[in-house]
Amino acid sequence: MNAKYRILIVEDDDDISMIEQTYLEASGFETFIVSDGDKILPLLHMENFDLLLLDLMLPGKNGYEICKEIRDELNIPILMVTARTQSVDKIRGLGLGADDYITKPFDPAELVARVNANIRQYRRLKEANQIEPDEKGDEIQIGDIRVLLHGWKVYKGEKEIRFPNREFELLKFLAENPNIVFSKEQLFEKIWGYDYVGDSATVMVHINRIREKIEDDSKTPKIIETVWGAGYRLNR
């Protein structure tokens, strides 16, 4: 990674934002710090950033509200920063479309590693979307769902469904390996690319978001099935 990758840091604690800025810039990133949640969306529309480092507990408009607003309009990797350790807080943030989270206090080296991993994955998605239609290669059909493996697109019938990068990676992996049960640990390591830390919220929330988009009834899923005590399986 180098300085052409720009990180928007959203943090109201000056000490924490300076730590984040110092370590990210030492690793070759450009950074921009904002503490006012109301300024985030207009700024993202005016300038290009490669990742949003978003503190959840902001005064006024909190990180949850900001995350939802961004996901309704833009596709940018969102790495949540939270001081809360309860799974419900992480589930809520991931459920609103965040790609990943890191808990305070964090190891600065881990922060840099998470930023790198999320940007790499997003760049792969962006580059794949630039492939011409006749070069996109194979697609996988699952009932009325079509997954364009190289085009990074998903259709339900004739309607394209918007998939953030982590959700697409997860669906793509399951679609390419149908009828096989994968544990949460295996899916986390495969999709997120670093060691599983014992919290199943990330995988569970992303599976639920995928189901809401592709299943006729997400409460009784038929495509992505939960195999109790073992993990998840995509039926095809």
Side-chain angles (χ1 to χ4, degrees):
M1 297 288 177
N2 56 50
K4 71 178 179 179
Y5 294 108
R6 306 183 70 216
I7 312 301
L8 179 57
I9 298 171
V10 184
E11 173 61 68
D12 66 311
D13 186 313
D14 292 340
D15 291 334
I16 293 176
S17 63
M18 288 304 297
I19 290 172
E20 294 171 341
Q21 183 178 54
T22 298
Y23 278 88
L24 288 170
E25 292 191 350
S27 298
F29 295 100
E30 290 182 3
T31 64
F32 190 88
I33 299 173
V34 176
S35 59
D36 185 347
D38 290 319
K39 295 180 179 179
I40 306 307
L41 196 56
L43 182 60
L44 288 173
H45 279 296
M46 288 189 297
E47 299 191 34
N48 292 321
F49 291 94
D50 296 285
L51 182 137
L52 178 65
L53 189 60
L54 177 63
D55 180 47
L56 289 183
M57 304 313 295
L58 297 168
K61 184 180 290 186
N62 64 42
Y64 296 117
E65 296 173 279
I66 296 168
C67 186
K68 185 177 186 306
E69 287 180 355
I70 292 170
R71 271 296 168 256
D72 288 341
E73 298 186 27
L74 299 169
N75 188 15
I76 178 175
I78 299 176
L79 175 56
M80 301 184 304
V81 181
T82 175
R84 298 184 175 184
T85 58
Q86 294 93 335
S87 291
V88 65
D89 298 302
K90 300 169 186 175
I91 289 171
R92 184 181 177 192
L94 293 168
L96 290 172
D99 295 281
D100 200 0
Y101 65 84
I102 190 167
T103 304
K104 301 176 188 176
F106 52 79
D107 180 346
E110 181 186 2
L111 172 67
V112 173
R114 296 280 182 107
V115 168
N116 273 315
N118 278 279
I119 290 180
R120 276 198 303 269
Q121 188 175 49
Y122 178 74
R123 299 299 297 182
R124 289 199 303 270
L125 180 151
K126 191 171 182 180
E127 290 166 5
N129 270 329
Q130 294 172 350
I131 300 174
E132 294 300 320
D134 59 353
E135 298 175 353
K136 288 184 177 177
D138 296 338
E139 65 177 58
I140 293 177
Q141 187 87 30
I142 312 162
D144 64 343
I145 303 298
R146 288 188 300 130
V147 182
L148 276 60
L149 300 180
H150 299 100
W152 289 74
K153 293 185 177 182
V154 180
Y155 291 86
K156 185 174 177 64
E158 297 301 316
K159 181 181 179 181
E160 183 178 351
I161 309 170
R162 189 169 184 171
F163 267 73
N165 51 333
R166 295 292 188 188
E167 291 176 26
F168 184 86
E169 285 268 17
L170 184 52
L171 176 62
K172 178 175 180 284
F173 176 75
L174 291 171
E176 289 179 318
N177 299 275
N179 309 317
I180 300 172
V181 177
F182 293 96
S183 69
K184 296 182 183 72
E185 291 84 355
Q186 289 173 318
L187 292 173
F188 193 100
E189 184 176 353
K190 176 65 181 178
I191 304 304
W192 277 259
Y194 36 78
D195 291 339
Y196 187 73
V197 293
D199 191 338
S200 62
T202 301
V203 173
M204 179 182 68
V205 172
H206 281 73
I207 289 287
N208 288 340
R209 285 177 59 83
I210 293 171
R211 283 170 168 168
E212 290 172 359
K213 295 176 180 180
I214 68 172
E215 300 277 3
D216 292 329
D217 183 354
S218 61
K219 294 181 180 179
T220 56
K222 298 183 182 301
I223 298 174
I224 299 180
E225 179 184 0
T226 299
V227 181
W228 296 107
Y232 298 101
R233 174 177 60 213
L234 186 140
N235 297 314
R236 182 159 67 89

